[in-house]
PDB file of all heavy atoms in Angstrom:
ATOM      1  N   ASN A  13     157.522 162.874 107.888  1.00  0.00           N
ATOM      2  CA  ASN A  13     158.912 162.661 107.501  1.00  0.00           C
ATOM      3  C   ASN A  13     159.710 161.889 108.544  1.00  0.00           C
ATOM      4  O   ASN A  13     160.508 161.002 108.213  1.00  0.00           O
ATOM      5  CB  ASN A  13     159.594 164.006 107.219  1.00  0.00           C
ATOM      6  CG  ASN A  13     159.086 164.646 105.944  1.00  0.00           C
ATOM      7  OD1 ASN A  13     158.583 163.965 105.054  1.00  0.00           O
ATOM      8  ND2 ASN A  13     159.212 165.967 105.843  1.00  0.00           N
ATOM      9  N   LYS A  14     159.487 162.216 109.825  1.00  0.00           N
ATOM     10  CA  LYS A  14     160.226 161.517 110.881  1.00  0.00           C
ATOM     11  C   LYS A  14     159.801 160.051 110.967  1.00  0.00           C
ATOM     12  O   LYS A  14     160.639 159.159 111.121  1.00  0.00           O
ATOM     13  CB  LYS A  14     160.003 162.220 112.227  1.00  0.00           C
ATOM     14  CG  LYS A  14     160.725 163.551 112.342  1.00  0.00           C
ATOM     15  CD  LYS A  14     160.544 164.155 113.727  1.00  0.00           C
ATOM     16  CE  LYS A  14     161.293 165.479 113.845  1.00  0.00           C
ATOM     17  NZ  LYS A  14     161.113 166.102 115.182  1.00  0.00           N
ATOM     18  N   ALA A  15     158.496 159.833 110.876  1.00  0.00           N
ATOM     19  CA  ALA A  15     158.003 158.456 110.910  1.00  0.00           C
ATOM     20  C   ALA A  15     158.524 157.667 109.706  1.00  0.00           C
ATOM     21  O   ALA A  15     158.885 156.485 109.827  1.00  0.00           O
ATOM     22  CB  ALA A  15     156.481 158.436 110.946  1.00  0.00           C
ATOM     23  N   PHE A  16     158.580 158.314 108.549  1.00  0.00           N
ATOM     24  CA  PHE A  16     159.079 157.645 107.349  1.00  0.00           C
ATOM     25  C   PHE A  16     160.521 157.187 107.554  1.00  0.00           C
ATOM     26  O   PHE A  16     160.889 156.059 107.188  1.00  0.00           O
ATOM     27  CB  PHE A  16     158.993 158.577 106.143  1.00  0.00           C
ATOM     28  CG  PHE A  16     159.557 157.976 104.880  1.00  0.00           C
ATOM     29  CD1 PHE A  16     158.802 157.115 104.110  1.00  0.00           C
ATOM     30  CD2 PHE A  16     160.863 158.268 104.487  1.00  0.00           C
ATOM     31  CE1 PHE A  16     159.329 156.538 102.956  1.00  0.00           C
ATOM     32  CE2 PHE A  16     161.397 157.697 103.337  1.00  0.00           C
ATOM     33  CZ  PHE A  16     160.629 156.840 102.564  1.00  0.00           C
ATOM     34  N   LYS A  17     161.347 158.037 108.153  1.00  0.00           N
ATOM     35  CA  LYS A  17     162.738 157.665 108.396  1.00  0.00           C
ATOM     36  C   LYS A  17     162.840 156.471 109.339  1.00  0.00           C
ATOM     37  O   LYS A  17     163.684 155.580 109.156  1.00  0.00           O
ATOM     38  CB  LYS A  17     163.499 158.863 108.973  1.00  0.00           C
ATOM     39  CG  LYS A  17     163.740 159.976 107.962  1.00  0.00           C
ATOM     40  CD  LYS A  17     164.491 161.138 108.602  1.00  0.00           C
ATOM     41  CE  LYS A  17     164.714 162.262 107.594  1.00  0.00           C
ATOM     42  NZ  LYS A  17     165.412 163.423 108.208  1.00  0.00           N
ATOM     43  N   ILE A  18     161.964 156.440 110.348  1.00  0.00           N
ATOM     44  CA  ILE A  18     161.960 155.305 111.289  1.00  0.00           C
ATOM     45  C   ILE A  18     161.550 154.029 110.567  1.00  0.00           C
ATOM     46  O   ILE A  18     162.205 152.983 110.690  1.00  0.00           O
ATOM     47  CB  ILE A  18     161.021 155.591 112.471  1.00  0.00           C
ATOM     48  CG1 ILE A  18     161.582 156.735 113.331  1.00  0.00           C
ATOM     49  CG2 ILE A  18     160.819 154.335 113.313  1.00  0.00           C
ATOM     50  CD1 ILE A  18     160.618 157.233 114.398  1.00  0.00           C
ATOM     51  N   LEU A  19     160.464 154.092 109.807  1.00  0.00           N
ATOM     52  CA  LEU A  19     159.991 152.915 109.084  1.00  0.00           C
ATOM     53  C   LEU A  19     161.035 152.441 108.076  1.00  0.00           C
ATOM     54  O   LEU A  19     161.262 151.231 107.914  1.00  0.00           O
ATOM     55  CB  LEU A  19     158.669 153.209 108.380  1.00  0.00           C
ATOM     56  CG  LEU A  19     157.391 152.906 109.171  1.00  0.00           C
ATOM     57  CD1 LEU A  19     157.334 153.707 110.473  1.00  0.00           C
ATOM     58  CD2 LEU A  19     156.156 153.178 108.331  1.00  0.00           C
ATOM     59  N   LYS A  20     161.673 153.393 107.411  1.00  0.00           N
ATOM     60  CA  LYS A  20     162.687 153.042 106.409  1.00  0.00           C
ATOM     61  C   LYS A  20     163.852 152.305 107.059  1.00  0.00           C
ATOM     62  O   LYS A  20     164.441 151.384 106.470  1.00  0.00           O
ATOM     63  CB  LYS A  20     163.188 154.326 105.739  1.00  0.00           C
ATOM     64  CG  LYS A  20     164.077 154.107 104.543  1.00  0.00           C
ATOM     65  CD  LYS A  20     163.296 153.684 103.335  1.00  0.00           C
ATOM     66  CE  LYS A  20     164.189 153.642 102.097  1.00  0.00           C
ATOM     67  NZ  LYS A  20     163.465 153.087 100.929  1.00  0.00           N
ATOM     68  N   GLU A  21     164.180 152.684 108.304  1.00  0.00           N
ATOM     69  CA  GLU A  21     165.311 152.064 108.997  1.00  0.00           C
ATOM     70  C   GLU A  21     164.989 150.656 109.488  1.00  0.00           C
ATOM     71  O   GLU A  21     165.852 149.769 109.443  1.00  0.00           O
ATOM     72  CB  GLU A  21     165.729 152.939 110.179  1.00  0.00           C
ATOM     73  CG  GLU A  21     166.895 152.370 110.975  1.00  0.00           C
ATOM     74  CD  GLU A  21     167.333 153.266 112.113  1.00  0.00           C
ATOM     75  OE1 GLU A  21     166.830 154.411 112.220  1.00  0.00           O
ATOM     76  OE2 GLU A  21     168.186 152.831 112.909  1.00  0.00           O
ATOM     77  N   TYR A  22     163.756 150.453 109.952  1.00  0.00           N
ATOM     78  CA  TYR A  22     163.442 149.201 110.656  1.00  0.00           C
ATOM     79  C   TYR A  22     162.612 148.202 109.836  1.00  0.00           C
ATOM     80  O   TYR A  22     162.446 147.064 110.278  1.00  0.00           O
ATOM     81  CB  TYR A  22     162.699 149.512 111.956  1.00  0.00           C
ATOM     82  CG  TYR A  22     163.595 150.100 113.013  1.00  0.00           C
ATOM     83  CD1 TYR A  22     163.694 151.472 113.184  1.00  0.00           C
ATOM     84  CD2 TYR A  22     164.370 149.289 113.834  1.00  0.00           C
ATOM     85  CE1 TYR A  22     164.526 152.029 114.151  1.00  0.00           C
ATOM     86  CE2 TYR A  22     165.202 149.823 114.805  1.00  0.00           C
ATOM     87  CZ  TYR A  22     165.278 151.191 114.951  1.00  0.00           C
ATOM     88  OH  TYR A  22     166.108 151.727 115.902  1.00  0.00           O
ATOM     89  N   LEU A  23     162.100 148.609 108.698  1.00  0.00           N
ATOM     90  CA  LEU A  23     161.249 147.721 107.915  1.00  0.00           C
ATOM     91  C   LEU A  23     161.879 147.412 106.557  1.00  0.00           C
ATOM     92  O   LEU A  23     162.558 148.265 105.995  1.00  0.00           O
ATOM     93  CB  LEU A  23     159.868 148.369 107.715  1.00  0.00           C
ATOM     94  CG  LEU A  23     159.084 148.630 108.999  1.00  0.00           C
ATOM     95  CD1 LEU A  23     157.775 149.346 108.679  1.00  0.00           C
ATOM     96  CD2 LEU A  23     158.809 147.332 109.760  1.00  0.00           C
ATOM     97  N   PRO A  24     161.675 146.201 106.042  1.00  0.00           N
ATOM     98  CA  PRO A  24     160.920 145.098 106.653  1.00  0.00           C
ATOM     99  C   PRO A  24     161.609 144.575 107.917  1.00  0.00           C
ATOM    100  O   PRO A  24     162.828 144.529 107.970  1.00  0.00           O
ATOM    101  CB  PRO A  24     160.912 144.026 105.561  1.00  0.00           C
ATOM    102  CG  PRO A  24     161.252 144.728 104.282  1.00  0.00           C
ATOM    103  CD  PRO A  24     162.157 145.852 104.695  1.00  0.00           C
ATOM    104  N   GLY A  25     160.790 144.177 108.870  1.00  0.00           N
ATOM    105  CA  GLY A  25     161.329 143.664 110.114  1.00  0.00           C
ATOM    106  C   GLY A  25     160.238 143.317 111.095  1.00  0.00           C
ATOM    107  O   GLY A  25     159.054 143.579 110.855  1.00  0.00           O
ATOM    108  N   PRO A  26     160.603 142.721 112.256  1.00  0.00           N
ATOM    109  CA  PRO A  26     159.634 142.230 113.238  1.00  0.00           C
ATOM    110  C   PRO A  26     159.097 143.336 114.139  1.00  0.00           C
ATOM    111  O   PRO A  26     159.265 143.313 115.353  1.00  0.00           O
ATOM    112  CB  PRO A  26     160.427 141.191 114.015  1.00  0.00           C
ATOM    113  CG  PRO A  26     161.828 141.713 113.987  1.00  0.00           C
ATOM    114  CD  PRO A  26     161.988 142.366 112.644  1.00  0.00           C
ATOM    115  N   PHE A  27     158.476 144.331 113.512  1.00  0.00           N
ATOM    116  CA  PHE A  27     157.934 145.477 114.242  1.00  0.00           C
ATOM    117  C   PHE A  27     156.497 145.745 113.809  1.00  0.00           C
ATOM    118  O   PHE A  27     156.127 145.510 112.662  1.00  0.00           O
ATOM    119  CB  PHE A  27     158.752 146.745 113.968  1.00  0.00           C
ATOM    120  CG  PHE A  27     160.169 146.675 114.449  1.00  0.00           C
ATOM    121  CD1 PHE A  27     161.170 146.191 113.616  1.00  0.00           C
ATOM    122  CD2 PHE A  27     160.496 147.077 115.737  1.00  0.00           C
ATOM    123  CE1 PHE A  27     162.480 146.111 114.062  1.00  0.00           C
ATOM    124  CE2 PHE A  27     161.802 147.004 116.185  1.00  0.00           C
ATOM    125  CZ  PHE A  27     162.800 146.517 115.348  1.00  0.00           C
ATOM    126  N   THR A  28     155.705 146.235 114.759  1.00  0.00           N
ATOM    127  CA  THR A  28     154.400 146.815 114.456  1.00  0.00           C
ATOM    128  C   THR A  28     154.480 148.281 114.858  1.00  0.00           C
ATOM    129  O   THR A  28     154.711 148.594 116.029  1.00  0.00           O
ATOM    130  CB  THR A  28     153.274 146.126 115.248  1.00  0.00           C
ATOM    131  OG1 THR A  28     153.238 144.733 114.919  1.00  0.00           O
ATOM    132  CG2 THR A  28     151.917 146.756 114.925  1.00  0.00           C
ATOM    133  N   PHE A  29     154.313 149.168 113.895  1.00  0.00           N
ATOM    134  CA  PHE A  29     154.361 150.601 114.176  1.00  0.00           C
ATOM    135  C   PHE A  29     152.943 151.157 114.215  1.00  0.00           C
ATOM    136  O   PHE A  29     152.185 151.011 113.246  1.00  0.00           O
ATOM    137  CB  PHE A  29     155.198 151.335 113.132  1.00  0.00           C
ATOM    138  CG  PHE A  29     156.669 151.081 113.267  1.00  0.00           C
ATOM    139  CD1 PHE A  29     157.334 150.230 112.394  1.00  0.00           C
ATOM    140  CD2 PHE A  29     157.389 151.677 114.287  1.00  0.00           C
ATOM    141  CE1 PHE A  29     158.690 149.988 112.533  1.00  0.00           C
ATOM    142  CE2 PHE A  29     158.752 151.441 114.439  1.00  0.00           C
ATOM    143  CZ  PHE A  29     159.400 150.596 113.567  1.00  0.00           C
ATOM    144  N   ILE A  30     152.596 151.756 115.336  1.00  0.00           N
ATOM    145  CA  ILE A  30     151.279 152.372 115.479  1.00  0.00           C
ATOM    146  C   ILE A  30     151.340 153.784 114.913  1.00  0.00           C
ATOM    147  O   ILE A  30     152.155 154.600 115.344  1.00  0.00           O
ATOM    148  CB  ILE A  30     150.824 152.391 116.947  1.00  0.00           C
ATOM    149  CG1 ILE A  30     150.744 150.953 117.487  1.00  0.00           C
ATOM    150  CG2 ILE A  30     149.472 153.085 117.088  1.00  0.00           C
ATOM    151  CD1 ILE A  30     150.428 150.861 118.964  1.00  0.00           C
ATOM    152  N   LEU A  31     150.470 154.035 113.937  1.00  0.00           N
ATOM    153  CA  LEU A  31     150.479 155.293 113.203  1.00  0.00           C
ATOM    154  C   LEU A  31     149.082 155.886 113.156  1.00  0.00           C
ATOM    155  O   LEU A  31     148.085 155.166 113.327  1.00  0.00           O
ATOM    156  CB  LEU A  31     150.972 155.054 111.774  1.00  0.00           C
ATOM    157  CG  LEU A  31     152.452 154.702 111.618  1.00  0.00           C
ATOM    158  CD1 LEU A  31     152.685 153.940 110.327  1.00  0.00           C
ATOM    159  CD2 LEU A  31     153.294 155.971 111.651  1.00  0.00           C
ATOM    160  N   PRO A  32     148.964 157.188 112.898  1.00  0.00           N
ATOM    161  CA  PRO A  32     147.638 157.774 112.705  1.00  0.00           C
ATOM    162  C   PRO A  32     146.986 157.212 111.441  1.00  0.00           C
ATOM    163  O   PRO A  32     147.673 156.954 110.440  1.00  0.00           O
ATOM    164  CB  PRO A  32     147.932 159.279 112.556  1.00  0.00           C
ATOM    165  CG  PRO A  32     149.305 159.481 113.094  1.00  0.00           C
ATOM    166  CD  PRO A  32     150.042 158.207 112.837  1.00  0.00           C
ATOM    167  N   THR A  33     145.704 157.000 111.487  1.00  0.00           N
ATOM    168  CA  THR A  33     144.998 156.441 110.334  1.00  0.00           C
ATOM    169  C   THR A  33     144.822 157.471 109.230  1.00  0.00           C
ATOM    170  O   THR A  33     144.851 158.678 109.471  1.00  0.00           O
ATOM    171  CB  THR A  33     143.611 155.915 110.741  1.00  0.00           C
ATOM    172  OG1 THR A  33     142.867 156.991 111.329  1.00  0.00           O
ATOM    173  CG2 THR A  33     143.709 154.783 111.730  1.00  0.00           C
ATOM    174  N   SER A  34     144.606 156.959 108.027  1.00  0.00           N
ATOM    175  CA  SER A  34     144.256 157.818 106.896  1.00  0.00           C
ATOM    176  C   SER A  34     142.814 157.524 106.503  1.00  0.00           C
ATOM    177  O   SER A  34     142.278 156.451 106.792  1.00  0.00           O
ATOM    178  CB  SER A  34     145.199 157.567 105.714  1.00  0.00           C
ATOM    179  OG  SER A  34     144.604 156.752 104.752  1.00  0.00           O
ATOM    180  N   PRO A  35     142.150 158.459 105.802  1.00  0.00           N
ATOM    181  CA  PRO A  35     140.753 158.252 105.405  1.00  0.00           C
ATOM    182  C   PRO A  35     140.559 157.076 104.454  1.00  0.00           C
ATOM    183  O   PRO A  35     139.435 156.610 104.271  1.00  0.00           O
ATOM    184  CB  PRO A  35     140.388 159.574 104.712  1.00  0.00           C
ATOM    185  CG  PRO A  35     141.359 160.575 105.236  1.00  0.00           C
ATOM    186  CD  PRO A  35     142.633 159.814 105.471  1.00  0.00           C
ATOM    187  N   ALA A  36     141.635 156.570 103.854  1.00  0.00           N
ATOM    188  CA  ALA A  36     141.514 155.482 102.887  1.00  0.00           C
ATOM    189  C   ALA A  36     141.275 154.121 103.537  1.00  0.00           C
ATOM    190  O   ALA A  36     140.945 153.157 102.841  1.00  0.00           O
ATOM    191  CB  ALA A  36     142.774 155.416 102.017  1.00  0.00           C
ATOM    192  N   LEU A  37     141.438 154.020 104.841  1.00  0.00           N
ATOM    193  CA  LEU A  37     141.205 152.740 105.506  1.00  0.00           C
ATOM    194  C   LEU A  37     139.761 152.286 105.324  1.00  0.00           C
ATOM    195  O   LEU A  37     138.847 153.117 105.263  1.00  0.00           O
ATOM    196  CB  LEU A  37     141.518 152.844 107.005  1.00  0.00           C
ATOM    197  CG  LEU A  37     142.981 152.649 107.412  1.00  0.00           C
ATOM    198  CD1 LEU A  37     143.160 152.988 108.877  1.00  0.00           C
ATOM    199  CD2 LEU A  37     143.439 151.219 107.155  1.00  0.00           C
ATOM    200  N   PRO A  38     139.529 150.971 105.231  1.00  0.00           N
ATOM    201  CA  PRO A  38     138.159 150.456 105.076  1.00  0.00           C
ATOM    202  C   PRO A  38     137.254 150.898 106.222  1.00  0.00           C
ATOM    203  O   PRO A  38     137.722 151.280 107.305  1.00  0.00           O
ATOM    204  CB  PRO A  38     138.365 148.938 105.096  1.00  0.00           C
ATOM    205  CG  PRO A  38     139.774 148.741 104.640  1.00  0.00           C
ATOM    206  CD  PRO A  38     140.541 149.913 105.162  1.00  0.00           C
ATOM    207  N   LYS A  39     135.946 150.810 105.980  1.00  0.00           N
ATOM    208  CA  LYS A  39     134.978 151.383 106.918  1.00  0.00           C
ATOM    209  C   LYS A  39     135.003 150.745 108.294  1.00  0.00           C
ATOM    210  O   LYS A  39     134.603 151.371 109.278  1.00  0.00           O
ATOM    211  CB  LYS A  39     133.564 151.314 106.352  1.00  0.00           C
ATOM    212  CG  LYS A  39     133.020 149.906 106.144  1.00  0.00           C
ATOM    213  CD  LYS A  39     131.608 149.967 105.584  1.00  0.00           C
ATOM    214  CE  LYS A  39     131.010 148.576 105.401  1.00  0.00           C
ATOM    215  NZ  LYS A  39     129.638 148.645 104.865  1.00  0.00           N
ATOM    216  N   VAL A  40     135.487 149.499 108.399  1.00  0.00           N
ATOM    217  CA  VAL A  40     135.563 148.872 109.719  1.00  0.00           C
ATOM    218  C   VAL A  40     136.524 149.632 110.630  1.00  0.00           C
ATOM    219  O   VAL A  40     136.446 149.557 111.852  1.00  0.00           O
ATOM    220  CB  VAL A  40     135.987 147.391 109.603  1.00  0.00           C
ATOM    221  CG1 VAL A  40     137.450 147.275 109.212  1.00  0.00           C
ATOM    222  CG2 VAL A  40     135.733 146.635 110.908  1.00  0.00           C
ATOM    223  N   PHE A  41     137.433 150.423 110.028  1.00  0.00           N
ATOM    224  CA  PHE A  41     138.379 151.210 110.803  1.00  0.00           C
ATOM    225  C   PHE A  41     137.861 152.609 111.093  1.00  0.00           C
ATOM    226  O   PHE A  41     138.526 153.381 111.777  1.00  0.00           O
ATOM    227  CB  PHE A  41     139.706 151.342 110.045  1.00  0.00           C
ATOM    228  CG  PHE A  41     140.473 150.055 109.905  1.00  0.00           C
ATOM    229  CD1 PHE A  41     140.197 149.176 108.869  1.00  0.00           C
ATOM    230  CD2 PHE A  41     141.478 149.727 110.796  1.00  0.00           C
ATOM    231  CE1 PHE A  41     140.914 148.001 108.726  1.00  0.00           C
ATOM    232  CE2 PHE A  41     142.199 148.552 110.658  1.00  0.00           C
ATOM    233  CZ  PHE A  41     141.910 147.683 109.627  1.00  0.00           C
ATOM    234  N   LYS A  42     136.710 152.962 110.549  1.00  0.00           N
ATOM    235  CA  LYS A  42     136.211 154.325 110.715  1.00  0.00           C
ATOM    236  C   LYS A  42     136.041 154.650 112.190  1.00  0.00           C
ATOM    237  O   LYS A  42     135.556 153.841 112.987  1.00  0.00           O
ATOM    238  CB  LYS A  42     134.878 154.514 109.986  1.00  0.00           C
ATOM    239  CG  LYS A  42     134.974 154.348 108.475  1.00  0.00           C
ATOM    240  CD  LYS A  42     136.013 155.252 107.846  1.00  0.00           C
ATOM    241  CE  LYS A  42     136.057 155.071 106.336  1.00  0.00           C
ATOM    242  NZ  LYS A  42     137.176 155.771 105.692  1.00  0.00           N
ATOM    243  N   GLY A  43     136.431 155.845 112.556  1.00  0.00           N
ATOM    244  CA  GLY A  43     136.374 156.249 113.947  1.00  0.00           C
ATOM    245  C   GLY A  43     137.641 155.924 114.709  1.00  0.00           C
ATOM    246  O   GLY A  43     137.850 156.414 115.818  1.00  0.00           O
ATOM    247  N   ARG A  44     138.495 155.086 114.103  1.00  0.00           N
ATOM    248  CA  ARG A  44     139.755 154.753 114.746  1.00  0.00           C
ATOM    249  C   ARG A  44     140.778 155.812 114.412  1.00  0.00           C
ATOM    250  O   ARG A  44     140.886 156.266 113.272  1.00  0.00           O
ATOM    251  CB  ARG A  44     140.267 153.384 114.275  1.00  0.00           C
ATOM    252  CG  ARG A  44     139.307 152.234 114.536  1.00  0.00           C
ATOM    253  CD  ARG A  44     139.085 152.032 116.003  1.00  0.00           C
ATOM    254  NE  ARG A  44     140.343 151.880 116.736  1.00  0.00           N
ATOM    255  CZ  ARG A  44     140.497 152.181 118.021  1.00  0.00           C
ATOM    256  NH1 ARG A  44     139.491 152.669 118.710  1.00  0.00           N
ATOM    257  NH2 ARG A  44     141.646 152.004 118.613  1.00  0.00           N
ATOM    258  N   LYS A  45     141.570 156.224 115.368  1.00  0.00           N
ATOM    259  CA  LYS A  45     142.596 157.232 115.147  1.00  0.00           C
ATOM    260  C   LYS A  45     143.971 156.613 114.909  1.00  0.00           C
ATOM    261  O   LYS A  45     144.889 157.300 114.469  1.00  0.00           O
ATOM    262  CB  LYS A  45     142.664 158.180 116.341  1.00  0.00           C
ATOM    263  CG  LYS A  45     141.392 159.001 116.544  1.00  0.00           C
ATOM    264  CD  LYS A  45     141.544 159.942 117.728  1.00  0.00           C
ATOM    265  CE  LYS A  45     140.288 160.781 117.921  1.00  0.00           C
ATOM    266  NZ  LYS A  45     140.413 161.701 119.091  1.00  0.00           N
ATOM    267  N   GLU A  46     144.096 155.305 115.207  1.00  0.00           N
ATOM    268  CA  GLU A  46     145.390 154.653 115.095  1.00  0.00           C
ATOM    269  C   GLU A  46     145.253 153.307 114.396  1.00  0.00           C
ATOM    270  O   GLU A  46     144.214 152.660 114.485  1.00  0.00           O
ATOM    271  CB  GLU A  46     145.993 154.433 116.487  1.00  0.00           C
ATOM    272  CG  GLU A  46     146.201 155.698 117.297  1.00  0.00           C
ATOM    273  CD  GLU A  46     146.565 155.406 118.731  1.00  0.00           C
ATOM    274  OE1 GLU A  46     146.476 154.224 119.149  1.00  0.00           O
ATOM    275  OE2 GLU A  46     146.932 156.339 119.456  1.00  0.00           O
ATOM    276  N   VAL A  47     146.320 152.912 113.714  1.00  0.00           N
ATOM    277  CA  VAL A  47     146.371 151.596 113.087  1.00  0.00           C
ATOM    278  C   VAL A  47     147.790 151.054 113.233  1.00  0.00           C
ATOM    279  O   VAL A  47     148.770 151.808 113.160  1.00  0.00           O
ATOM    280  CB  VAL A  47     145.961 151.662 111.596  1.00  0.00           C
ATOM    281  CG1 VAL A  47     146.914 152.545 110.794  1.00  0.00           C
ATOM    282  CG2 VAL A  47     145.856 150.267 110.994  1.00  0.00           C
ATOM    283  N   GLY A  48     147.901 149.757 113.499  1.00  0.00           N
ATOM    284  CA  GLY A  48     149.213 149.121 113.560  1.00  0.00           C
ATOM    285  C   GLY A  48     149.639 148.694 112.160  1.00  0.00           C
ATOM    286  O   GLY A  48     148.862 148.070 111.435  1.00  0.00           O
ATOM    287  N   VAL A  49     150.846 149.038 111.779  1.00  0.00           N
ATOM    288  CA  VAL A  49     151.349 148.704 110.442  1.00  0.00           C
ATOM    289  C   VAL A  49     152.504 147.710 110.563  1.00  0.00           C
ATOM    290  O   VAL A  49     153.464 147.939 111.294  1.00  0.00           O
ATOM    291  CB  VAL A  49     151.816 149.976 109.699  1.00  0.00           C
ATOM    292  CG1 VAL A  49     152.574 149.600 108.426  1.00  0.00           C
ATOM    293  CG2 VAL A  49     150.625 150.864 109.366  1.00  0.00           C
ATOM    294  N   ARG A  50     152.363 146.593 109.830  1.00  0.00           N
ATOM    295  CA  ARG A  50     153.411 145.564 109.776  1.00  0.00           C
ATOM    296  C   ARG A  50     153.908 145.437 108.341  1.00  0.00           C
ATOM    297  O   ARG A  50     153.110 145.360 107.411  1.00  0.00           O
ATOM    298  CB  ARG A  50     152.845 144.203 110.210  1.00  0.00           C
ATOM    299  CG  ARG A  50     152.615 144.056 111.681  1.00  0.00           C
ATOM    300  CD  ARG A  50     153.859 143.578 112.414  1.00  0.00           C
ATOM    301  NE  ARG A  50     154.111 142.152 112.308  1.00  0.00           N
ATOM    302  CZ  ARG A  50     155.259 141.630 111.917  1.00  0.00           C
ATOM    303  NH1 ARG A  50     156.261 142.381 111.516  1.00  0.00           N
ATOM    304  NH2 ARG A  50     155.434 140.317 111.891  1.00  0.00           N
ATOM    305  N   ILE A  51     155.218 145.436 108.167  1.00  0.00           N
ATOM    306  CA  ILE A  51     155.839 145.073 106.895  1.00  0.00           C
ATOM    307  C   ILE A  51     156.902 144.044 107.253  1.00  0.00           C
ATOM    308  O   ILE A  51     158.076 144.377 107.477  1.00  0.00           O
ATOM    309  CB  ILE A  51     156.454 146.299 106.176  1.00  0.00           C
ATOM    310  CG1 ILE A  51     155.394 147.388 105.974  1.00  0.00           C
ATOM    311  CG2 ILE A  51     157.047 145.878 104.830  1.00  0.00           C
ATOM    312  CD1 ILE A  51     155.930 148.676 105.377  1.00  0.00           C
ATOM    313  N   PRO A  52     156.493 142.796 107.391  1.00  0.00           N
ATOM    314  CA  PRO A  52     157.411 141.786 107.922  1.00  0.00           C
ATOM    315  C   PRO A  52     158.531 141.434 106.949  1.00  0.00           C
ATOM    316  O   PRO A  52     158.387 141.562 105.730  1.00  0.00           O
ATOM    317  CB  PRO A  52     156.495 140.581 108.171  1.00  0.00           C
ATOM    318  CG  PRO A  52     155.332 140.792 107.276  1.00  0.00           C
ATOM    319  CD  PRO A  52     155.162 142.259 107.113  1.00  0.00           C
ATOM    320  N   ASP A  53     159.625 140.981 107.516  1.00  0.00           N
ATOM    321  CA  ASP A  53     160.750 140.499 106.716  1.00  0.00           C
ATOM    322  C   ASP A  53     160.458 139.054 106.317  1.00  0.00           C
ATOM    323  O   ASP A  53     161.142 138.114 106.735  1.00  0.00           O
ATOM    324  CB  ASP A  53     162.046 140.607 107.517  1.00  0.00           C
ATOM    325  CG  ASP A  53     163.268 140.284 106.663  1.00  0.00           C
ATOM    326  OD1 ASP A  53     163.125 140.227 105.427  1.00  0.00           O
ATOM    327  OD2 ASP A  53     164.356 140.082 107.238  1.00  0.00           O
ATOM    328  N   ASN A  54     159.409 138.906 105.529  1.00  0.00           N
ATOM    329  CA  ASN A  54     158.969 137.598 105.048  1.00  0.00           C
ATOM    330  C   ASN A  54     158.323 137.802 103.680  1.00  0.00           C
ATOM    331  O   ASN A  54     157.319 138.503 103.565  1.00  0.00           O
ATOM    332  CB  ASN A  54     157.980 136.965 106.031  1.00  0.00           C
ATOM    333  CG  ASN A  54     157.547 135.575 105.593  1.00  0.00           C
ATOM    334  OD1 ASN A  54     156.802 135.426 104.635  1.00  0.00           O
ATOM    335  ND2 ASN A  54     158.000 134.549 106.302  1.00  0.00           N
ATOM    336  N   ASN A  55     158.912 137.205 102.666  1.00  0.00           N
ATOM    337  CA  ASN A  55     158.444 137.430 101.298  1.00  0.00           C
ATOM    338  C   ASN A  55     157.014 136.959 101.072  1.00  0.00           C
ATOM    339  O   ASN A  55     156.297 137.520 100.238  1.00  0.00           O
ATOM    340  CB  ASN A  55     159.367 136.724 100.306  1.00  0.00           C
ATOM    341  CG  ASN A  55     160.727 137.383 100.214  1.00  0.00           C
ATOM    342  OD1 ASN A  55     160.857 138.581 100.469  1.00  0.00           O
ATOM    343  ND2 ASN A  55     161.747 136.615  99.863  1.00  0.00           N
TER     344      ASN A  55
END
């Protein structure tokens, strides 16, 4: 919930937010605990 509020405030925008991974990530990410998420302000 706290992370959602942060993302909602700053995205879309020029930020990369490092977040814990979910099991749905492709296998190349397996074993990784973190992923950078970008939602740029660019259509």
Side-chain angles (χ1 to χ4, degrees):
N13 289 336
K14 288 184 179 179
F16 177 82
K17 289 180 181 178
I18 293 171
L19 269 59
K20 189 76 173 174
E21 179 178 353
Y22 287 95
L23 298 177
F27 296 90
T28 300
F29 287 104
I30 300 175
L31 290 156
T33 58
S34 101
L37 275 171
K39 65 180 182 180
V40 71
F41 292 85
K42 296 305 181 189
R44 302 297 307 154
K45 296 181 179 179
E46 301 170 350
V47 62
V49 169
R50 285 273 281 128
I51 304 175
D53 187 13
N54 183 288
N55 290 333

